């Protein structure tokens, strides 16, 4: 056993000496992930302390699972988890369905100029920052000068105070997500559709399949592998998710938290507003672990069903 | 049968044109609202609200933005600096990593790839990271903290690896090795030259991320002179106070600034460069996404 370990170690250093140029080229990347991802894992310890800045990492009093117990008993954890997963599922289902529909529609358009123009415009929102989405929401929804409220006034109706009605934001957040990402995913799917050989469609035409049948029996099945890959990536990050979107739309507006608070926004606020370091680390650790277990499970199931699609 | 299919096709094409037009308009509409707002007289906005067409045309919003341009030019400077430095460094590191990780004669490539990939599966979370950077590395209010966290992501490294794998045949590298070139030389004179589209895509992803970043400023920057452009805009949208401070710091009191029009004008000024560059860079993105999605 020891001998084998020795020879392996020698093998590694031997490799380093032989390929030192390549190791050197990889070094910045290795250091980056070491500092940025692995070293902070030590800080998981905060989750078990009542952290204060003066005493730092190892000086703060150790409290065991108290933070987790508090998060659990206050109902916070369940609410945050449900919100996070709920929104992500809506994003995935609606986002991909609409993107696929959109890509199929785009592929049926013959006029080259119109097609290119539409594709470019739909892809544009992907390039703008989330701060601009904040501006758009302000422009459309604010109480005094918002576009929608000024329309309502013009039609002789009551103004709506969007920033105090929490349930409306469920739809608004999903809408803005779709606005930003629809074009992005549609472009990916469209590229796959463009890659499908014309022969399939010609053959189906000769056999008398109409356009709906051609789409349903040829295009849709051809999109499946891409869909599954994208789906897996999205499922992997189901416990994270769109912090920038939520924070720019909702910010620190406590009136909306019931319907809009997700784990990421809760943790962020603990740094900027409430300074609840121990609690936030606990929530973050829970998020990480839950996500990890989720990915492993999904990957395991996929591997059982069809090994080719498994992530690892 | 034949006639029926033609009818169906016509029907479907009509639906396609209508739906795509609607999607396109929905994507364009908010942007038009902002541009229109930026060109409308502030009084009119306060009285009647934002509209799609400027009721009373005015350039006051832009005038106000550029009346005392020091702050906004500074924010532009910070963003351009972080974008250029971050993108250049990131591209350099990512291409090297991608090249090494796809080399079949690099024995531990899978272990190292997993070392990188694992960070997407599990992490310490935001808070320990934040405390490490502020308390232990003392990076508060530095340019370093605006650049280093965005240098690379596992996704971009994996994307780059697939690009290089598909663009550069193993035989080419082998024959260069036989000719006595070392690995860095091969990287410099073969890889960089043959995988230009891939490098462009990765560079664009990085540049876009740096340009649109507000998150790092919000966490780590207290000094308003080091605000990135997007965070500067964020503050203008969210606090009227910020606009007043801006006026005071420029040493002049200007009565009531045209806040609404000015917010929209500022948004246009901040987003403008992206929209201008967009037509030129779009195809690289599409290419990159396609390869990334098809190859996995």
């Amino acid at each position: 056993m020891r001998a084998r370990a020795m020879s392996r170690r020698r093998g590694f250093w031997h490799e380093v000496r032989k390929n030192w140029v390549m190791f050197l080229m990889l070094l910045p990347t290795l250091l980056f992930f070491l500092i940025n991802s692995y070293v902070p894992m030590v800080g998981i310890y905060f989750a078990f302390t009542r952290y204060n800045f003066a005493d730092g990492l190892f000086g703060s009093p150790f409290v065991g699972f108290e933070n987790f117990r508090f998060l659990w008993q206050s109902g916070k954890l369940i609410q945050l988890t449900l919100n996070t997963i709920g929104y992500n599922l809506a994003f995935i289902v609606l986002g991909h369905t609409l993107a696929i529909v959109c890509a199929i529609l785009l592929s049926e358009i013959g006029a080259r100029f119109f097609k290119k123009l539409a594709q470019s415009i739909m892809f544009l929102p992907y390039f703008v920052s989330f701060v601009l989405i904040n501006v758009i929401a302000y422009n459309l929804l604010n109480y005094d000068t918002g576009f929608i409220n000024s329309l309502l006034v013009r039609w002789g109706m009551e103004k709506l105070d969007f920033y105090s009605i929490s349930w409306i934001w469920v739809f608004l957040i999903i809408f803005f997500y779709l606005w930003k990402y629809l074009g992005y995913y549609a472009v990916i799917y469209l590229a796959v559709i463009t890659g499908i050989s014309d022969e399939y469609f010609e053959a189906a035409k000769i056999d008398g399949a109409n356009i709906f049948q051609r789409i349903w029996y040829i295009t849709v099945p051809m999109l499946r592998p891409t869909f599954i890959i994208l789906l897996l990536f999205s499922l992997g990050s189901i416990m994270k998710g769109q912090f920038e979107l939520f924070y720019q739309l909702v910010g620190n507006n406590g009136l909306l938290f019931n319907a809009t608070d997700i784990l990421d926004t809760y943790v962020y606020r603990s740094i900027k507003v409430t300074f609840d370091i121990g609690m936030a680390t606990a929530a973050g650790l829970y998020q990480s672990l839950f996500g990890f277990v989720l990915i492993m499970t999904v990957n395991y199931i996929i591997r059982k069903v069809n090994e080719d699609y498994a992530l690892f | 049968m034949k006639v029926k299919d033609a009818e169906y096709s016509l029907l479907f094409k009509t639906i396609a044109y209508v739906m795509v037009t609607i999607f396109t308009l929905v994507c364009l509409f908010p942007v038009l609202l902002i541009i229109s707002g930026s060109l409308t007289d502030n009084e009119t906005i306060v009285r009647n609200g934002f509209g799609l067409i400027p009721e009373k045309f005015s350039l006051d919003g832009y005038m106000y933005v550029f009346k005392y341009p020091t702050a906004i030019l500074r924010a532009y400077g910070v963003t351009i600096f972080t974008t250029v430095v971050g993108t250049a460094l990131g591209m350099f590191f990512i291409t090297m990593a991608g090249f090494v990780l796809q080399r079949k004669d690099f024995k531990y490539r899978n272990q190292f790839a997993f070392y990188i990939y694992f960070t997407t599966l599990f992490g310490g979370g935001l808070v320990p990271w934040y405390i490490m950077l502020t308390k232990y590395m003392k990076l508060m209010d530095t340019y370093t903290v605006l650049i280093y966290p965005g240098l690379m992501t596992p996704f971009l490294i994996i994307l780059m690896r697939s690009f290089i794998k598909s663009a550069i045949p193993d035989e080419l590298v082998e024959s260069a090795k036989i000719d006595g070139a070392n690995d860095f030389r091969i990287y410099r004179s073969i890889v960089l030259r043959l995988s230009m589209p891939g490098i462009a895509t990765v560079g664009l992803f990085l540049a876009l991320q740096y340009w649109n970043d507000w998150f790092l400023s919000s966490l780590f920057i207290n000094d308003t002179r080091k605000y990135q452009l997007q965070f500067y805009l964020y503050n203008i949208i969210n606090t009227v106070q910020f606009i007043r401070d801006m006026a005071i710091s420029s040493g002049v009191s200007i009565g009531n600034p045209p806040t609404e029009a000015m917010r929209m004008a500022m948004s246009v000024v901040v987003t403008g460069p992206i929209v201008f560059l967009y037509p030129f860079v779009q195809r690289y993105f599409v290419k990159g996404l396609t390869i990334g999605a098809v190859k996995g």
Side-chain angles (χ1 to χ4, degrees):
Chain A
M1 198 64 193
R2 207 164 142 232
R4 209 201 293 156
M6 282 292 283
S7 83
R8 243 177 82 192
R9 199 175 310 150
R10 202 180 300 134
F12 181 76
W13 290 115
H14 177 73
E15 192 67 21
V16 172
R17 212 167 311 133
K18 195 178 81 185
N19 282 326
W20 65 273
V21 179
M22 282 204 266
F23 272 91
L24 208 60
M25 288 167 77
L26 197 57
L27 192 64
T29 308
L30 298 181
L31 278 178
F32 175 84
F33 286 102
L34 181 70
I35 296 170
N36 208 43
S37 306
Y38 286 97
V39 173
M41 285 182 196
V42 177
I44 287 172
Y45 180 72
F46 297 145
F48 306 97
T49 65
R50 193 175 300 119
Y51 183 82
N52 58 60
F53 273 89
D55 294 333
L57 177 52
F58 296 109
S60 302
F62 183 80
V63 294
F65 284 90
E66 194 186 282
N67 291 326
F68 294 94
R69 202 175 306 128
F70 178 83
L71 278 172
W72 175 258
Q73 279 168 354
S74 64
K76 197 92 214 159
L77 214 51
I78 295 177
Q79 190 208 344
L80 291 173
T81 309
L82 287 178
N83 278 352
T84 309
I85 292 182
Y87 276 110
N88 270 310
L89 282 180
F91 292 162
I92 293 170
V93 172
L94 289 172
H96 286 284
T97 318
L98 268 179
I100 288 173
V101 168
C102 194
I104 290 174
L105 292 174
L106 270 172
S107 73
E108 288 300 320
I109 282 177
R112 265 185 76 87
F113 178 74
F114 181 74
K115 187 174 174 177
K116 272 261 171 294
L117 185 71
Q119 197 186 327
S120 299
I121 291 175
M122 275 189 234
F123 199 14
L124 185 64
Y126 180 74
F127 282 76
V128 305
S129 76
F130 283 97
V131 181
L132 196 81
I133 289 189
N134 185 335
V135 181
I136 292 168
Y138 174 82
N139 186 315
L140 282 170
L141 307 170
N142 88 72
Y143 189 76
D144 295 319
T145 60
F147 177 75
I148 291 179
N149 274 327
S150 63
L151 270 191
L152 289 177
V153 168
R154 213 161 293 173
W155 293 337
M157 296 201 286
E158 286 271 315
K159 277 189 181 183
L160 272 177
D161 189 2
F162 288 98
Y163 286 90
S164 64
I165 310 171
S166 60
W167 62 266
I168 263 186
W169 287 86
V170 176
F171 300 98
L172 287 172
I173 286 172
I174 293 172
F175 170 79
F176 279 110
Y177 173 86
L178 293 175
W179 184 78
K180 182 135 171 84
Y181 288 107
L182 182 65
Y184 175 83
Y185 286 119
V187 162
I188 298 179
Y189 285 118
L190 183 61
V192 180
I193 295 177
T194 318
I196 301 173
S197 162
D198 278 339
E199 286 171 30
Y200 293 111
F201 293 108
E202 293 303 326
K205 230 180 201 168
I206 291 164
D207 288 346
N210 67 36
I211 186 160
F212 295 105
Q213 289 165 325
R214 292 201 295 269
I215 288 171
W216 189 251
Y217 292 109
I218 299 173
T219 314
V220 173
M222 288 291 209
L223 289 176
R224 197 181 296 145
T226 311
F227 170 69
I228 291 176
I229 289 171
L230 294 176
L231 181 72
L232 277 173
F233 275 117
S234 321
L235 282 177
S237 56
I238 199 165
M239 286 302 278
K240 298 174 195 143
Q242 300 304 327
F243 165 76
E244 296 193 58
L245 177 71
F246 282 80
Y247 193 74
Q248 286 297 341
L249 283 174
V250 177
N252 297 325
N253 182 350
L255 291 173
L256 308 179
F257 285 165
N258 266 338
T260 62
D261 213 14
I262 57 171
L263 281 156
D264 285 323
T265 45
Y266 175 78
V267 173
Y268 177 84
R269 275 203 318 281
S270 72
I271 293 179
K272 297 295 287 182
V273 188
T274 57
F275 304 108
D276 221 341
I277 297 300
M279 208 71 78
T281 313
L285 178 60
Y286 161 79
Q287 176 185 24
S288 237
L289 279 175
F290 196 111
F292 184 68
V293 172
L294 213 63
I295 300 174
M296 287 305 175
T297 317
V298 170
N299 191 60
Y300 177 79
I301 295 169
I302 304 259
R303 188 174 279 279
K304 285 269 159 205
V305 178
N306 187 343
E307 200 159 335
D308 291 341
Y309 291 139
L311 276 176
F312 44 86
Chain B
M1 203 67 202
K2 201 112 180 94
V3 181
K4 215 167 169 210
D5 180 42
E7 273 170 19
Y8 270 135
S9 293
L10 188 67
L11 173 70
F12 191 80
K13 278 213 159 53
T14 317
I15 297 174
Y17 274 95
V18 173
M19 293 292 286
V20 167
T21 309
I22 292 172
F23 280 142
T24 311
L25 289 179
V26 170
C27 286
L28 205 54
F29 179 70
V31 179
L32 294 179
L33 268 182
I34 288 180
I35 296 174
S36 152
S38 75
L39 294 170
T40 311
D41 173 54
N42 196 57
E43 296 289 309
T44 316
I45 299 176
V46 172
R47 207 174 334 113
N48 297 340
F50 289 109
L52 194 54
I53 298 149
E55 280 174 60
K56 188 176 167 207
F57 183 83
S58 157
L59 287 174
D60 282 355
Y62 289 98
M63 301 286 251
Y64 192 79
V65 167
F66 286 113
K67 203 163 193 173
Y68 304 101
T70 339
I72 175 123
L73 287 182
R74 198 163 232 302
Y76 250 107
V78 172
T79 293
I80 290 172
F81 175 72
T82 53
T83 305
V84 169
V85 175
T87 307
L89 275 179
M91 275 160 80
F92 181 50
F93 295 152
I94 290 172
T95 44
M96 285 198 300
F99 171 58
V100 173
L101 289 175
Q102 60 86 46
R103 284 281 294 269
K104 291 214 174 57
D105 54 340
F106 188 68
K107 201 171 160 197
Y108 294 97
R109 62 183 185 283
N110 289 329
Q111 282 86 336
F112 283 124
F114 184 75
Y115 168 88
I116 293 166
Y117 179 66
F118 182 74
T119 60
T120 63
L121 298 178
F122 182 78
L126 180 69
V127 177
W129 179 74
Y130 173 79
I131 290 180
M132 179 187 78
L133 292 187
T134 50
K135 193 173 158 70
Y136 295 96
M137 288 167 76
K138 309 248 183 283
L139 289 177
M140 205 75 186
D141 275 330
T142 58
Y143 289 113
T144 316
V145 83
L146 293 179
I147 293 173
Y148 124 80
L151 281 178
M152 39 185 120
T153 63
F155 167 71
L156 289 182
I157 294 175
I158 291 165
L159 188 67
M160 198 64 230
R161 189 181 65 170
S162 331
F163 265 128
I164 295 179
K165 204 189 255 173
S166 64
I168 291 154
D170 290 338
E171 295 77 29
L172 196 60
V173 175
E174 273 162 36
S175 68
K177 269 216 105 132
I178 291 166
D179 289 345
N182 77 22
D183 295 299
F184 189 75
R185 178 83 198 277
I186 296 171
Y187 160 78
R188 211 186 54 201
S189 43
I190 297 177
V191 177
L192 286 190
R193 254 172 233 168
L194 291 184
S195 45
M196 232 27 221
I199 295 172
T201 308
V202 167
L204 284 168
F205 269 111
L206 282 172
L208 188 66
Q209 167 210 312
Y210 277 108
W211 186 270
N212 281 342
D213 182 50
W214 58 276
F215 182 64
L216 294 172
S217 291
S218 89
L219 277 181
F220 298 110
I221 306 293
N222 291 323
D223 178 0
T224 46
R225 290 180 313 156
K226 286 184 182 141
Y227 276 4
Q228 288 163 295
L229 201 50
Q230 302 291 343
F231 192 59
Y232 185 76
L233 173 66
Y234 170 78
N235 277 298
I236 284 175
I237 300 309
N238 280 277
T239 46
V240 185
Q241 192 55 43
F242 192 81
I243 301 178
R244 297 226 179 87
D245 291 349
M246 211 174 83
I248 291 163
S249 73
S250 7
V252 206
S253 77
I254 320 168
N256 279 333
T259 45
E260 301 299 304
M262 183 229 168
R263 281 172 166 158
M264 298 305 131
M266 189 65 94
S267 311
V268 172
V269 169
V270 167
T271 312
I274 290 278
V275 178
F276 270 118
L277 280 178
Y278 174 68
F280 305 103
V281 301
Q282 194 208 138
R283 67 197 176 95
Y284 285 109
F285 257 88
V286 174
K287 200 182 263 171
L289 286 175
T290 316
I291 289 190
V294 175
K295 296 234 160 81

